[in-house]
Amino acid sequence: MPAAAPHDRRDGAQSIRRAVAVLRIVAAGQEHGVRLTDVAGATGLNRPTAHRILRALVGEGAVEHDAATRRYRIGREVSLMGLARPAGLPLRSLAAPYLRALSEELGDTCFLTIRNGDDSVCLDRALGSYPIKVLSIEVGARRLLGVGVSGVVLLAALDYPEAVQIMERNAGRLRGLRLQAAEILERGAQARVQGYAYAANGVVRGTRAVAVPVRTPAGKTVAGIAVTTISSRLPEARLQTVVGAMQACAARIGAAVSERALPA
């Protein structure tokens, strides 16, 4: 069989990168799904190209299309592929008891989030004992790095030039979210100085959120821990107490990651 020409290899690699980029945007939509225009805008692809890739992914079962809403969601095939590596995320199981202990101590919902490329992904959450629970994000939810308090502390761990490159690569996604790169970078800079990210107005109306980085003893940021609750439970007077408890939990997880020699 003759070897593929260089331009054929380049075209093949480009097609794969585009398909993966489309999958990431579809995954970010979770159960709500995304529209063709969302995919095109976020990836920078023109609509015919985005539509062609989506149709191919639907044909392979990697994406599902809801004809009634005209929205696309991650398909069953991707979920089944994930089962091939049930232990592929050891940080989740390692951090779980610490996350539960924190939610029990504070009484509020706690989230564990990691960086994956240009995104933050919610890896786990633990429900607190307080009757009103704020489930602002689902496990597996994907957001652009810097969006949401966990994404802010993960962005803050990067060198400024790298953070800028992420914003530049995702200009389309930012426009779709009606966010400004400069504002996100400023939040990251503020979190870097104060050691945590705080949102007086959370994703869900009437809520507040705060996040801290999880670092190994060597100083490598491996995750973020966030707490989300109704506004009345996180007044300014309680903020430092909550942050202190979160930082203690983050230190325990970071030490455990180092002891277990997990990838950082």
Side-chain angles (χ1 to χ4, degrees), residues 144-147 152 155 167 174 179-189:
L144 176 62
L145 211 62
V147 176
V152 170
L155 186 72
M167 295 299 103
L174 288 171
L179 295 174
Q180 299 294 322
E183 183 180 351
I184 292 178
L185 292 169
E186 175 58 31
R187 290 175 187 166

Side-chain angles (χ1 to χ4, degrees), residues 203-247:
V203 175
V204 179
R205 185 176 181 181
T207 67
R208 291 179 177 173
V210 61
V212 302
V214 176
R215 299 190 182 100
T216 65
K220 176 72 173 181
T221 298
V222 296
I225 292 177
V227 169
T228 305
T229 185
I230 58 174
S231 298
S232 61
R233 285 184 56 77
L234 194 56
E236 294 289 343
R238 187 180 179 235
L239 180 60
Q240 292 306 318
T241 299
V242 172
V243 168
M246 294 173 68
Q247 289 175 333

Side-chain angles (χ1 to χ4, degrees), residues 4-12:
H7 70 274
D8 291 335
R9 290 196 294 268
R10 287 195 297 270
D11 289 347

Side-chain angles (χ1 to χ4, degrees), residues 9-101:
R9 290 196 294 268
R10 287 195 297 270
D11 289 347
Q14 182 185 59
S15 296
I16 293 171
R17 285 194 294 269
R18 286 177 170 178
V20 172
V22 168
L23 279 172
R24 289 194 181 109
I25 300 305
V26 174
Q30 295 192 279
E31 288 298 325
H32 184 61
V34 295
R35 300 167 300 171
L36 171 59
T37 185
D38 299 325
V39 174
T43 59
L45 299 171
N46 58 49
R47 286 172 63 98
T49 300
H51 190 219
R52 184 170 63 252
I53 293 172
L54 284 166
R55 282 190 303 173
L57 292 171
V58 168
E60 295 298 326
V63 169
E64 296 174 356
H65 181 234
D66 187 328
T69 63
R70 297 185 178 180
R71 289 180 175 270
Y72 296 87
R73 290 187 291 269
I74 282 294
R76 176 182 173 87
E77 187 65 25
V78 174
S79 300
L80 293 174
M81 285 180 180
L83 297 177
R85 290 196 65 204
L89 295 169
L91 176 60
R92 179 179 181 178
S93 58
L94 183 148
Y98 300 103
L99 200 67
R100 286 197 301 270

